[in-house]
Amino acid sequence: MEKLGMITIGQAPRTDVAPIIEKYLDGRAELVQVGVLDGMTKEYIDQNLYPEADDYVLTSRLVTNESVIMSREKIKPILQKKIDYLEEIGIQQILLLCTGVFPGLTTKTSFLIEPDHMIPPTVKALVANRRFGVIVPLVEQKENLKPKYSPFGMDPLFAVASPYKNDMASYEAAANVLKNSVDIILLDCMGYTEEARELVANTTGLPVILSNAIMAKLVSEMI
């Protein structure tokens, strides 16, 4: 059976997101999961990978269900090593389970599937000229992520709700920030679940796009 490598910037396995990916793979490929933070304690991550001033900030989940915040610059070398490892064991297609932007990642022969290359143009095609809202996990990402959309002529309105804090009230608050100002909403993190999508959709009465579902559908067409 073909294998799809999946790298989370947190810890594997991602029991929250993997079922969404596997649903669309429909048994056509085995999912091989690795994590950038595998084997690390939360204390180590907080002490060694926490963002400095002006760093590009990311968040993800540990296997303990705790959330962590980290610097893209500090985790990028570890991420590249995980890509190299999956190549070494023969994985030909590798999905990066993060919607953040990671310039300069490389493979030798494998195909690296980077959501930040695929989601903005796909969403632009879906949104067209309608008003566009984006929910992100961290306040810092409201500024970090603007350049991801601007090349496609999109200037989204942002709201914040973390997928890693199990706080349904934050989803409702974010949905209420957006609902009278936009026509369609994107949940811009691979950690958001179908439950979150439904909550935001029900609160706003608007179409809500789930990033990991889009990527799962696109990747499933490549298997």
Side-chain angles (χ1 to χ4, degrees), residues 62-124:
L62 307 182
V63 289
T64 57
N65 291 331
E66 296 171 288
S67 64
V68 289
I69 294 173
M70 65 209 110
S71 158
R72 177 182 68 183
E73 289 69 22
K74 291 179 181 179
I75 70 163
K76 190 175 169 185
I78 311 169
L79 172 57
Q80 184 61 59
K81 287 179 182 177
K82 299 293 180 175
I83 294 169
D84 296 343
Y85 164 74
L86 288 176
E87 278 205 294
E88 287 166 9
I89 64 171
I91 305 292
Q92 288 301 301
Q93 298 196 76
I94 301 169
L95 171 62
L96 176 57
L97 195 72
C98 180
T99 61
V101 180
F102 286 89
L105 296 175
T106 61
T107 57
K108 298 180 181 69
T109 59
S110 300
F111 180 58
L112 180 63
I113 305 162
E114 297 184 69
D116 77 283
H117 293 179
M118 299 171 74
I119 290 175
T122 302
V123 169
K124 173 60 177 177

Short mmCIF file of all heavy atoms in Angstrom, two decimals, residues 62-124:
data_model
loop_
_atom_site.label_atom_id
_atom_site.label_comp_id
_atom_site.label_asym_id
_atom_site.label_seq_id
_atom_site.Cartn_x
_atom_site.Cartn_y
_atom_site.Cartn_z
N LEU A 62 0.57 18.82 21.93
CA LEU A 62 1.36 17.68 22.38
C LEU A 62 0.44 16.47 22.56
O LEU A 62 -0.79 16.60 22.60
CB LEU A 62 2.07 18.01 23.70
CG LEU A 62 2.91 19.29 23.71
CD1 LEU A 62 3.58 19.45 25.08
CD2 LEU A 62 3.93 19.30 22.60
N VAL A 63 1.04 15.29 22.72
CA VAL A 63 0.22 14.09 22.91
C VAL A 63 -0.51 14.11 24.25
O VAL A 63 -1.46 13.37 24.46
CB VAL A 63 1.06 12.80 22.78
CG1 VAL A 63 1.48 12.59 21.34
CG2 VAL A 63 2.28 12.83 23.70
N THR A 64 -0.07 14.98 25.14
CA THR A 64 -0.77 15.17 26.43
C THR A 64 -2.00 16.07 26.30
O THR A 64 -2.68 16.34 27.29
CB THR A 64 0.19 15.81 27.44
OG1 THR A 64 0.65 17.06 26.89
CG2 THR A 64 1.38 14.92 27.72
N ASN A 65 -2.26 16.55 25.06
CA ASN A 65 -3.33 17.52 24.75
C ASN A 65 -3.01 18.94 25.19
O ASN A 65 -3.83 19.84 25.04
CB ASN A 65 -4.68 17.10 25.32
CG ASN A 65 -5.23 15.88 24.63
OD1 ASN A 65 -4.95 15.64 23.46
ND2 ASN A 65 -6.02 15.08 25.35
N GLU A 66 -1.80 19.16 25.75
CA GLU A 66 -1.39 20.53 26.07
C GLU A 66 -1.03 21.27 24.78
O GLU A 66 -0.56 20.66 23.81
CB GLU A 66 -0.17 20.50 26.99
CG GLU A 66 -0.42 19.87 28.35
CD GLU A 66 0.87 19.69 29.10
OE1 GLU A 66 1.67 18.81 28.73
OE2 GLU A 66 1.11 20.44 30.06
N SER A 67 -1.23 22.59 24.79
CA SER A 67 -0.81 23.39 23.65
C SER A 67 0.53 24.05 23.96
O SER A 67 0.85 24.31 25.13
CB SER A 67 -1.85 24.45 23.32
OG SER A 67 -2.00 25.38 24.37
N VAL A 68 1.31 24.29 22.92
CA VAL A 68 2.59 24.98 23.06
C VAL A 68 2.69 26.06 21.99
O VAL A 68 2.06 25.98 20.94
CB VAL A 68 3.79 24.01 22.94
CG1 VAL A 68 3.89 23.13 24.17
CG2 VAL A 68 3.70 23.19 21.67
N ILE A 69 3.49 27.07 22.29
CA ILE A 69 3.77 28.15 21.35
C ILE A 69 5.26 28.10 21.03
O ILE A 69 6.08 27.90 21.93
CB ILE A 69 3.38 29.51 21.94
CG1 ILE A 69 1.87 29.58 22.15
CG2 ILE A 69 3.85 30.67 21.06
CD1 ILE A 69 1.39 30.81 22.89
N MET A 70 5.59 28.28 19.75
CA MET A 70 6.99 28.14 19.36
C MET A 70 7.34 29.08 18.22
O MET A 70 6.47 29.63 17.55
CB MET A 70 7.30 26.70 19.00
CG MET A 70 6.57 26.19 17.77
SD MET A 70 6.25 24.43 17.80
CE MET A 70 4.48 24.45 18.01
N SER A 71 8.63 29.24 18.01
CA SER A 71 9.17 30.08 16.96
C SER A 71 9.38 29.25 15.69
O SER A 71 9.97 28.17 15.74
CB SER A 71 10.52 30.65 17.41
OG SER A 71 11.31 31.03 16.32
N ARG A 72 8.91 29.78 14.57
CA ARG A 72 9.16 29.09 13.29
C ARG A 72 10.66 28.93 13.06
O ARG A 72 11.12 27.87 12.62
CB ARG A 72 8.54 29.88 12.14
CG ARG A 72 8.83 29.27 10.76
CD ARG A 72 8.24 30.09 9.64
NE ARG A 72 8.90 31.38 9.50
CZ ARG A 72 8.52 32.31 8.63
NH1 ARG A 72 7.48 32.09 7.83
NH2 ARG A 72 9.16 33.47 8.56
N GLU A 73 11.42 29.98 13.33
CA GLU A 73 12.85 29.94 13.07
C GLU A 73 13.54 28.86 13.89
O GLU A 73 14.48 28.21 13.41
CB GLU A 73 13.47 31.32 13.38
CG GLU A 73 13.11 32.41 12.39
CD GLU A 73 11.64 32.85 12.44
OE1 GLU A 73 10.97 32.65 13.48
OE2 GLU A 73 11.15 33.37 11.42
N LYS A 74 13.07 28.65 15.12
CA LYS A 74 13.72 27.66 15.98
C LYS A 74 13.33 26.23 15.62
O LYS A 74 14.13 25.30 15.82
CB LYS A 74 13.38 27.96 17.45
CG LYS A 74 14.03 29.24 17.96
CD LYS A 74 13.67 29.52 19.40
CE LYS A 74 14.31 30.81 19.90
NZ LYS A 74 13.94 31.12 21.30
N ILE A 75 12.12 26.02 15.12
CA ILE A 75 11.72 24.64 14.80
C ILE A 75 12.05 24.23 13.37
O ILE A 75 12.05 23.04 13.06
CB ILE A 75 10.22 24.38 15.06
CG1 ILE A 75 9.33 25.12 14.05
CG2 ILE A 75 9.84 24.70 16.50
CD1 ILE A 75 7.91 24.59 14.01
N LYS A 76 12.35 25.20 12.52
CA LYS A 76 12.54 24.88 11.10
C LYS A 76 13.65 23.85 10.85
O LYS A 76 13.46 22.92 10.05
CB LYS A 76 12.81 26.17 10.31
CG LYS A 76 12.76 25.97 8.81
CD LYS A 76 12.90 27.31 8.09
CE LYS A 76 13.14 27.14 6.62
NZ LYS A 76 13.38 28.41 5.94
N PRO A 77 14.83 23.93 11.51
CA PRO A 77 15.84 22.90 11.28
C PRO A 77 15.37 21.50 11.70
O PRO A 77 15.74 20.51 11.07
CB PRO A 77 17.03 23.36 12.14
CG PRO A 77 16.79 24.81 12.39
CD PRO A 77 15.31 25.00 12.41
N ILE A 78 14.57 21.44 12.77
CA ILE A 78 14.05 20.14 13.22
C ILE A 78 13.05 19.62 12.20
O ILE A 78 13.03 18.43 11.87
CB ILE A 78 13.38 20.28 14.61
CG1 ILE A 78 14.30 21.00 15.59
CG2 ILE A 78 13.01 18.90 15.16
CD1 ILE A 78 13.61 21.40 16.89
N LEU A 79 12.21 20.51 11.69
CA LEU A 79 11.23 20.13 10.66
C LEU A 79 11.94 19.57 9.43
O LEU A 79 11.53 18.55 8.87
CB LEU A 79 10.38 21.35 10.30
CG LEU A 79 9.42 21.19 9.11
CD1 LEU A 79 8.46 20.03 9.32
CD2 LEU A 79 8.65 22.50 8.90
N GLN A 80 13.02 20.22 9.00
CA GLN A 80 13.76 19.72 7.83
C GLN A 80 14.31 18.32 8.09
O GLN A 80 14.28 17.46 7.19
CB GLN A 80 14.89 20.68 7.47
CG GLN A 80 15.67 20.29 6.22
CD GLN A 80 14.80 20.26 4.97
OE1 GLN A 80 14.19 21.26 4.60
NE2 GLN A 80 14.72 19.09 4.32
N LYS A 81 14.76 18.05 9.31
CA LYS A 81 15.27 16.71 9.65
C LYS A 81 14.16 15.67 9.59
O LYS A 81 14.39 14.52 9.18
CB LYS A 81 15.91 16.72 11.04
CG LYS A 81 17.26 17.44 11.08
CD LYS A 81 17.85 17.43 12.48
CE LYS A 81 19.17 18.19 12.52
NZ LYS A 81 19.74 18.25 13.89
N LYS A 82 12.93 16.05 9.98
CA LYS A 82 11.81 15.13 9.89
C LYS A 82 11.47 14.81 8.43
O LYS A 82 11.14 13.67 8.09
CB LYS A 82 10.58 15.71 10.61
CG LYS A 82 10.78 15.96 12.09
CD LYS A 82 10.96 14.67 12.88
CE LYS A 82 11.16 14.96 14.36
NZ LYS A 82 11.23 13.73 15.18
N ILE A 83 11.55 15.83 7.58
CA ILE A 83 11.34 15.60 6.15
C ILE A 83 12.40 14.64 5.62
O ILE A 83 12.09 13.68 4.90
CB ILE A 83 11.40 16.95 5.39
CG1 ILE A 83 10.22 17.83 5.79
CG2 ILE A 83 11.40 16.71 3.87
CD1 ILE A 83 10.34 19.28 5.30
N ASP A 84 13.66 14.89 5.98
CA ASP A 84 14.76 14.02 5.53
C ASP A 84 14.54 12.58 6.00
O ASP A 84 14.77 11.63 5.23
CB ASP A 84 16.10 14.53 6.08
CG ASP A 84 16.47 15.92 5.54
OD1 ASP A 84 15.88 16.35 4.54
OD2 ASP A 84 17.34 16.56 6.17
N TYR A 85 14.07 12.42 7.24
CA TYR A 85 13.83 11.08 7.77
C TYR A 85 12.77 10.34 6.96
O TYR A 85 12.95 9.16 6.59
CB TYR A 85 13.40 11.17 9.24
CG TYR A 85 12.77 9.90 9.76
CD1 TYR A 85 13.54 8.78 10.04
CD2 TYR A 85 11.38 9.82 9.95
CE1 TYR A 85 12.96 7.60 10.49
CE2 TYR A 85 10.80 8.64 10.39
CZ TYR A 85 11.59 7.53 10.66
OH TYR A 85 11.01 6.37 11.09
N LEU A 86 11.65 11.02 6.67
CA LEU A 86 10.58 10.36 5.90
C LEU A 86 11.07 9.98 4.51
O LEU A 86 10.71 8.93 3.97
CB LEU A 86 9.35 11.25 5.83
CG LEU A 86 8.57 11.40 7.14
CD1 LEU A 86 7.42 12.39 6.98
CD2 LEU A 86 8.03 10.06 7.64
N GLU A 87 11.90 10.83 3.92
CA GLU A 87 12.50 10.48 2.62
C GLU A 87 13.37 9.24 2.75
O GLU A 87 13.33 8.34 1.89
CB GLU A 87 13.33 11.63 2.09
CG GLU A 87 12.53 12.71 1.40
CD GLU A 87 13.38 13.47 0.40
OE1 GLU A 87 14.32 14.16 0.82
OE2 GLU A 87 13.08 13.36 -0.81
N GLU A 88 14.17 9.18 3.80
CA GLU A 88 15.09 8.06 3.99
C GLU A 88 14.37 6.72 4.12
O GLU A 88 14.91 5.69 3.72
CB GLU A 88 15.97 8.31 5.22
CG GLU A 88 17.03 9.38 5.02
CD GLU A 88 17.66 9.84 6.32
OE1 GLU A 88 17.39 9.18 7.36
OE2 GLU A 88 18.39 10.85 6.32
N ILE A 89 13.16 6.74 4.70
CA ILE A 89 12.42 5.47 4.85
C ILE A 89 11.50 5.20 3.65
O ILE A 89 10.67 4.30 3.69
CB ILE A 89 11.63 5.42 6.18
CG1 ILE A 89 10.52 6.49 6.22
CG2 ILE A 89 12.57 5.55 7.37
CD1 ILE A 89 9.59 6.33 7.41
N GLY A 90 11.66 6.00 2.61
CA GLY A 90 10.98 5.69 1.35
C GLY A 90 9.64 6.34 1.11
O GLY A 90 8.92 5.96 0.18
N ILE A 91 9.27 7.34 1.94
CA ILE A 91 7.98 8.01 1.74
C ILE A 91 8.12 9.00 0.57
O ILE A 91 8.98 9.87 0.58
CB ILE A 91 7.55 8.78 3.01
CG1 ILE A 91 7.53 7.85 4.23
CG2 ILE A 91 6.19 9.44 2.79
CD1 ILE A 91 6.46 6.80 4.22
N GLN A 92 7.25 8.85 -0.42
CA GLN A 92 7.36 9.68 -1.62
C GLN A 92 6.48 10.93 -1.60
O GLN A 92 6.72 11.88 -2.35
CB GLN A 92 7.02 8.83 -2.86
CG GLN A 92 8.09 7.82 -3.21
CD GLN A 92 9.44 8.47 -3.49
OE1 GLN A 92 9.57 9.31 -4.38
NE2 GLN A 92 10.45 8.11 -2.70
N GLN A 93 5.45 10.94 -0.76
CA GLN A 93 4.60 12.12 -0.63
C GLN A 93 4.49 12.48 0.85
O GLN A 93 4.13 11.63 1.67
CB GLN A 93 3.22 11.87 -1.24
CG GLN A 93 3.28 11.58 -2.73
CD GLN A 93 1.92 11.73 -3.39
OE1 GLN A 93 1.46 12.83 -3.62
NE2 GLN A 93 1.29 10.61 -3.70
N ILE A 94 4.80 13.73 1.16
CA ILE A 94 4.88 14.17 2.55
C ILE A 94 3.99 15.40 2.71
O ILE A 94 4.18 16.41 2.03
CB ILE A 94 6.33 14.53 2.94
CG1 ILE A 94 7.24 13.31 2.76
CG2 ILE A 94 6.39 15.05 4.37
CD1 ILE A 94 8.73 13.63 2.85
N LEU A 95 3.03 15.31 3.63
CA LEU A 95 2.13 16.42 3.93
C LEU A 95 2.61 17.14 5.18
O LEU A 95 2.77 16.52 6.24
CB LEU A 95 0.70 15.90 4.14
CG LEU A 95 -0.32 16.91 4.67
CD1 LEU A 95 -0.52 18.08 3.71
CD2 LEU A 95 -1.65 16.22 4.98
N LEU A 96 2.83 18.44 5.06
CA LEU A 96 3.13 19.27 6.22
C LEU A 96 1.81 19.66 6.87
O LEU A 96 0.99 20.34 6.26
CB LEU A 96 3.92 20.50 5.80
CG LEU A 96 4.22 21.53 6.90
CD1 LEU A 96 4.98 20.89 8.06
CD2 LEU A 96 5.00 22.70 6.33
N LEU A 97 1.62 19.23 8.11
CA LEU A 97 0.36 19.48 8.80
C LEU A 97 0.42 20.82 9.52
O LEU A 97 0.35 20.91 10.74
CB LEU A 97 0.05 18.34 9.78
CG LEU A 97 -1.39 18.29 10.29
CD1 LEU A 97 -2.33 17.82 9.19
CD2 LEU A 97 -1.51 17.37 11.50
N CYS A 98 0.57 21.88 8.75
CA CYS A 98 0.60 23.23 9.29
C CYS A 98 0.28 24.19 8.16
O CYS A 98 0.79 24.03 7.05
CB CYS A 98 1.97 23.54 9.88
SG CYS A 98 2.09 25.22 10.58
N THR A 99 -0.55 25.20 8.44
CA THR A 99 -0.89 26.17 7.41
C THR A 99 0.06 27.37 7.41
O THR A 99 -0.09 28.28 6.61
CB THR A 99 -2.34 26.68 7.58
OG1 THR A 99 -2.46 27.32 8.86
CG2 THR A 99 -3.34 25.55 7.46
N GLY A 100 1.05 27.36 8.30
CA GLY A 100 2.04 28.43 8.33
C GLY A 100 2.96 28.40 7.12
O GLY A 100 3.03 27.41 6.39
N VAL A 101 3.67 29.48 6.94
CA VAL A 101 4.59 29.63 5.80
C VAL A 101 6.00 29.23 6.25
O VAL A 101 6.52 29.75 7.24
CB VAL A 101 4.58 31.08 5.29
CG1 VAL A 101 5.53 31.25 4.12
CG2 VAL A 101 3.17 31.50 4.90
N PHE A 102 6.62 28.30 5.51
CA PHE A 102 7.96 27.81 5.83
C PHE A 102 8.86 27.91 4.60
O PHE A 102 9.04 26.94 3.87
CB PHE A 102 7.91 26.34 6.29
CG PHE A 102 7.37 26.14 7.67
CD1 PHE A 102 6.01 25.96 7.86
CD2 PHE A 102 8.20 26.12 8.77
CE1 PHE A 102 5.50 25.76 9.14
CE2 PHE A 102 7.70 25.93 10.05
CZ PHE A 102 6.34 25.75 10.23
N PRO A 103 9.45 29.07 4.36
CA PRO A 103 10.30 29.22 3.17
C PRO A 103 11.53 28.31 3.24
O PRO A 103 12.12 28.14 4.30
CB PRO A 103 10.73 30.70 3.23
CG PRO A 103 9.77 31.37 4.16
CD PRO A 103 9.35 30.32 5.13
N GLY A 104 11.87 27.72 2.10
CA GLY A 104 13.16 27.04 1.99
C GLY A 104 13.22 25.58 2.39
O GLY A 104 14.30 25.00 2.42
N LEU A 105 12.09 24.94 2.70
CA LEU A 105 12.13 23.51 2.99
C LEU A 105 12.45 22.76 1.70
O LEU A 105 12.02 23.15 0.61
CB LEU A 105 10.78 23.03 3.53
CG LEU A 105 10.35 23.62 4.88
CD1 LEU A 105 8.94 23.15 5.23
CD2 LEU A 105 11.34 23.27 5.99
N THR A 106 13.21 21.67 1.82
CA THR A 106 13.65 20.96 0.62
C THR A 106 13.44 19.45 0.75
O THR A 106 13.41 18.90 1.85
CB THR A 106 15.14 21.21 0.34
OG1 THR A 106 15.92 20.73 1.46
CG2 THR A 106 15.43 22.69 0.13
N THR A 107 13.29 18.82 -0.40
CA THR A 107 13.32 17.36 -0.51
C THR A 107 14.26 17.00 -1.65
O THR A 107 14.54 17.82 -2.52
CB THR A 107 11.92 16.79 -0.81
OG1 THR A 107 11.44 17.38 -2.03
CG2 THR A 107 10.94 17.06 0.31
N LYS A 108 14.71 15.75 -1.64
CA LYS A 108 15.58 15.27 -2.72
C LYS A 108 14.74 14.66 -3.84
O LYS A 108 14.86 15.04 -5.00
CB LYS A 108 16.58 14.26 -2.18
CG LYS A 108 17.53 14.84 -1.13
CD LYS A 108 18.50 13.79 -0.62
CE LYS A 108 19.44 14.36 0.44
NZ LYS A 108 18.72 14.68 1.70
N THR A 109 13.88 13.73 -3.50
CA THR A 109 13.05 13.07 -4.53
C THR A 109 11.57 13.08 -4.16
O THR A 109 10.72 12.95 -5.02
CB THR A 109 13.50 11.61 -4.74
OG1 THR A 109 13.40 10.90 -3.49
CG2 THR A 109 14.94 11.55 -5.23
N SER A 110 11.24 13.22 -2.89
CA SER A 110 9.84 13.18 -2.45
C SER A 110 9.14 14.48 -2.80
O SER A 110 9.78 15.52 -3.03
CB SER A 110 9.76 12.95 -0.94
OG SER A 110 10.35 11.72 -0.59
N PHE A 111 7.81 14.42 -2.82
CA PHE A 111 7.00 15.61 -3.08
C PHE A 111 6.48 16.13 -1.75
O PHE A 111 5.79 15.42 -1.03
CB PHE A 111 5.83 15.27 -4.01
CG PHE A 111 4.96 16.46 -4.32
CD1 PHE A 111 5.49 17.60 -4.90
CD2 PHE A 111 3.61 16.44 -4.01
CE1 PHE A 111 4.69 18.69 -5.19
CE2 PHE A 111 2.80 17.53 -4.29
CZ PHE A 111 3.35 18.66 -4.87
N LEU A 112 6.86 17.36 -1.42
CA LEU A 112 6.42 17.98 -0.17
C LEU A 112 5.17 18.80 -0.42
O LEU A 112 5.18 19.73 -1.24
CB LEU A 112 7.53 18.87 0.40
CG LEU A 112 7.22 19.58 1.71
CD1 LEU A 112 6.98 18.57 2.84
CD2 LEU A 112 8.36 20.54 2.09
N ILE A 113 4.11 18.48 0.29
CA ILE A 113 2.82 19.15 0.13
C ILE A 113 2.69 20.19 1.23
O ILE A 113 2.53 19.85 2.41
CB ILE A 113 1.66 18.13 0.19
CG1 ILE A 113 1.88 17.02 -0.84
CG2 ILE A 113 0.32 18.82 -0.03
CD1 ILE A 113 1.06 15.77 -0.56
N GLU A 114 2.78 21.47 0.86
CA GLU A 114 2.76 22.56 1.83
C GLU A 114 1.43 23.31 1.74
O GLU A 114 1.14 23.95 0.73
CB GLU A 114 3.92 23.51 1.57
CG GLU A 114 5.29 22.86 1.74
CD GLU A 114 6.42 23.83 1.58
OE1 GLU A 114 6.58 24.70 2.46
OE2 GLU A 114 7.14 23.74 0.56
N PRO A 115 0.61 23.24 2.79
CA PRO A 115 -0.71 23.88 2.74
C PRO A 115 -0.68 25.36 2.40
O PRO A 115 -1.60 25.85 1.74
CB PRO A 115 -1.26 23.63 4.15
CG PRO A 115 -0.63 22.33 4.56
CD PRO A 115 0.76 22.39 4.00
N ASP A 116 0.36 26.09 2.83
CA ASP A 116 0.36 27.53 2.54
C ASP A 116 0.50 27.81 1.05
O ASP A 116 0.16 28.89 0.58
CB ASP A 116 1.47 28.24 3.32
CG ASP A 116 2.84 28.04 2.70
OD1 ASP A 116 3.42 26.96 2.88
OD2 ASP A 116 3.33 28.96 2.04
N HIS A 117 0.97 26.81 0.25
CA HIS A 117 1.04 26.97 -1.19
C HIS A 117 -0.30 26.68 -1.86
O HIS A 117 -0.53 27.12 -2.99
CB HIS A 117 2.09 26.01 -1.79
CG HIS A 117 3.48 26.34 -1.39
ND1 HIS A 117 4.58 25.60 -1.79
CD2 HIS A 117 3.99 27.33 -0.61
CE1 HIS A 117 5.69 26.12 -1.29
NE2 HIS A 117 5.34 27.17 -0.56
N MET A 118 -1.14 25.92 -1.17
CA MET A 118 -2.37 25.42 -1.80
C MET A 118 -3.64 26.09 -1.29
O MET A 118 -4.58 26.31 -2.06
CB MET A 118 -2.45 23.90 -1.60
CG MET A 118 -1.26 23.17 -2.22
SD MET A 118 -1.18 21.41 -1.80
CE MET A 118 -2.52 20.77 -2.81
N ILE A 119 -3.68 26.41 -0.01
CA ILE A 119 -4.93 26.93 0.55
C ILE A 119 -5.26 28.34 0.05
O ILE A 119 -6.40 28.57 -0.37
CB ILE A 119 -4.91 26.86 2.10
CG1 ILE A 119 -4.99 25.39 2.54
CG2 ILE A 119 -6.07 27.66 2.70
CD1 ILE A 119 -4.85 25.17 4.03
N PRO A 120 -4.32 29.31 0.06
CA PRO A 120 -4.72 30.66 -0.38
C PRO A 120 -5.29 30.72 -1.81
O PRO A 120 -6.36 31.31 -2.00
CB PRO A 120 -3.43 31.46 -0.24
CG PRO A 120 -2.70 30.77 0.86
CD PRO A 120 -2.96 29.31 0.63
N PRO A 121 -4.66 30.09 -2.82
CA PRO A 121 -5.28 30.16 -4.15
C PRO A 121 -6.60 29.41 -4.25
O PRO A 121 -7.51 29.84 -4.96
CB PRO A 121 -4.23 29.55 -5.09
CG PRO A 121 -3.31 28.78 -4.21
CD PRO A 121 -3.34 29.45 -2.88
N THR A 122 -6.71 28.31 -3.50
CA THR A 122 -7.97 27.56 -3.50
C THR A 122 -9.08 28.40 -2.88
O THR A 122 -10.20 28.48 -3.41
CB THR A 122 -7.81 26.24 -2.73
OG1 THR A 122 -6.77 25.47 -3.32
CG2 THR A 122 -9.10 25.44 -2.74
N VAL A 123 -8.76 29.02 -1.74
CA VAL A 123 -9.75 29.86 -1.06
C VAL A 123 -10.12 31.07 -1.92
O VAL A 123 -11.29 31.46 -1.99
CB VAL A 123 -9.23 30.28 0.32
CG1 VAL A 123 -10.11 31.36 0.93
CG2 VAL A 123 -9.17 29.08 1.26
N LYS A 124 -9.14 31.65 -2.60
CA LYS A 124 -9.43 32.79 -3.48
C LYS A 124 -10.45 32.39 -4.55
O LYS A 124 -11.38 33.15 -4.85
CB LYS A 124 -8.14 33.29 -4.14
CG LYS A 124 -8.36 34.37 -5.21
CD LYS A 124 -9.04 35.61 -4.64
CE LYS A 124 -9.18 36.69 -5.71
NZ LYS A 124 -9.91 37.88 -5.21
#
